[in-house]
Amino acid sequence: GFGSEFEKGTIQTLLSYPLKRHMVLTAKLLSALGISLLMFLGIQFFALFIMAPQTVSANLTTVIVSYLASLSYPFFLTAILLIVAMKIRKGGLALVLGIVLYFALSVAQGILTALSITTGSPLTLKALSVLNPSLALQYHFNPLGSLTSGETLWNPSFNEVLAYVGGGYCLVIVAFLIVYYYFRRLNI
């Protein structure tokens, strides 16, 4: 991966060519994320369309929004891990830190959801949904109830879900801009 190129020194070779740094980073991202993402989405969408063509065609907007919502969080984590890999310059350690970060954020998400349910306030869920828009989509289709009052705690509308997806991708864009900025300034 990208971190091991720092560790082995091959990034210096790439940067010795008459290419701008952002072009090298873009090529690395497209080769690592772009191709695999296109294959994943193509296979997933094709399989979904084969299994339930009427459902997919009748709910195409929902299917697309659900894919967009579920990919925002991994993109954000990818940007964070790129920064970590560039900072520590060790591929294996960056991978381990990425796995630990993913599970730590998953545990924090569970704790914050439980806090929201016990307090009866959807504020933490709304904050989490900016980071992980698939939560808003999940609670759109399966409203979350409160333990204390028994009424619906949070049931975002589809337009609110779209706003959370947009906010999540704004966060992803900012994170990748920070990656590009840091890579430009990095002394290698």
Side-chain angles (χ1 to χ4, degrees):
F2 197 64
S4 63
E5 293 200 12
F6 284 101
E7 194 174 358
K8 294 177 184 175
T10 55
I11 195 73
Q12 293 168 337
T13 305
L14 286 173
L15 294 175
S16 68
Y17 293 114
L19 299 170
K20 295 188 189 276
R21 284 183 174 224
H22 72 274
M23 293 174 71
V24 172
L25 184 58
T26 303
K28 293 303 243 172
L29 285 173
L30 286 177
S31 66
L33 289 176
I35 294 172
S36 58
L37 183 64
L38 283 175
M39 288 176 47
F40 170 75
L41 288 176
I43 291 168
Q44 284 283 355
F45 196 74
F46 185 67
L48 189 60
F49 195 75
I50 286 176
M51 292 172 48
Q54 293 84 12
T55 305
V56 171
S57 58
N59 302 305
L60 187 60
T61 305
T62 305
V63 170
I64 291 171
V65 168
S66 66
Y67 278 121
L68 287 173
S70 64
L71 289 173
S72 172
Y73 185 61
F75 282 153
F76 180 72
L77 288 178
T78 300
I80 299 297
L81 292 180
L82 277 172
I83 293 170
V84 168
M86 285 188 275
K87 187 70 176 165
I88 63 175
R89 298 176 187 221
K90 303 264 188 227
L93 183 58
L95 179 63
V96 169
L97 287 175
I99 293 169
V100 168
L101 177 66
Y102 177 79
F103 284 114
L105 288 174
S106 296
V107 168
Q109 181 176 318
I111 291 169
L112 291 173
T113 302
L115 177 70
S116 182
I117 292 171
T118 55
T119 61
S121 171
L123 187 61
T124 55
L125 293 174
K126 291 178 180 181
L128 279 172
S129 292
V130 173
L131 185 62
N132 188 359
S134 61
L135 283 176
L137 188 67
Q138 174 187 341
Y139 295 132
H140 169 71
F141 289 109
N142 299 313
L144 184 65
S146 174
L147 287 179
T148 55
S149 65
E151 57 191 45
T152 300
L153 181 64
W154 192 43
N155 185 13
S157 68
F158 195 70
N159 287 335
E160 287 177 311
V161 170
L162 291 176
Y164 283 111
V165 171
Y169 277 99
C170 285
L171 197 61
V172 167
I173 289 169
V174 167
F176 274 106
L177 286 174
I178 292 170
V179 167
Y180 274 92
Y181 179 78
Y182 187 74
F183 188 67
R184 245 182 82 208
R185 301 274 182 214
L186 191 64
N187 290 326
I188 299 174

